Amino acid sequence: MSEPTEKPPLPDHLSVDPRSPHHDAAACEHDIGIRFNGKDRHDVEEYCISEGWIRVPAGKTLDRKGKPLLIKLKGKVEVFYQ
């Protein structure tokens, strides 16, 4: 049997985009759950717990580089490993 790998502590600010300075590959290897204003969200691209915001895609809109256009939503952010 394989040992469960120890999960790193979740950062205050995390992005799934590898080009971002807030990207943490070790944390992104695990399944992270995000609860925003009491509801679980599965479409979050970036979050910041201390400032209380998340970034999510704005529908099917793309920017000029072909990446989803993100909007910032403010509220209570809770992050946990699933």
Side-chain angles (χ1 to χ4, degrees):
M1 291 177 56
S2 64
E3 291 182 22
T5 59
E6 187 165 325
K7 297 176 183 175
L10 287 167
D12 175 61
H13 191 159
L14 181 67
S15 174
V16 296
D17 185 6
R19 296 175 295 156
S20 171
H22 301 290
H23 179 74
D24 183 1
C28 289
E29 288 178 358
H30 303 285
D31 195 18
I32 298 173
I34 298 173
R35 188 170 292 122
F36 181 69
N37 289 338
K39 295 183 181 179
D40 288 345
R41 299 288 303 245
H42 304 286
D43 59 345
V44 177
E45 297 283 327
E46 186 174 359
Y47 72 80
C48 183
I49 298 170
S50 63
E51 295 177 13
W53 56 261
I54 61 172
R55 289 192 193 272
V56 295
K60 296 182 180 182
T61 308
L62 301 175
D63 66 6
R64 60 183 168 193
K65 296 179 182 177
K67 304 286 184 193
L69 190 64
L70 302 176
I71 58 172
K72 183 190 280 189
L73 303 174
K74 295 186 177 191
K76 184 177 179 191
V77 180
E78 300 173 54
V79 182
F80 53 90
Y81 283 116
Q82 292 185 339

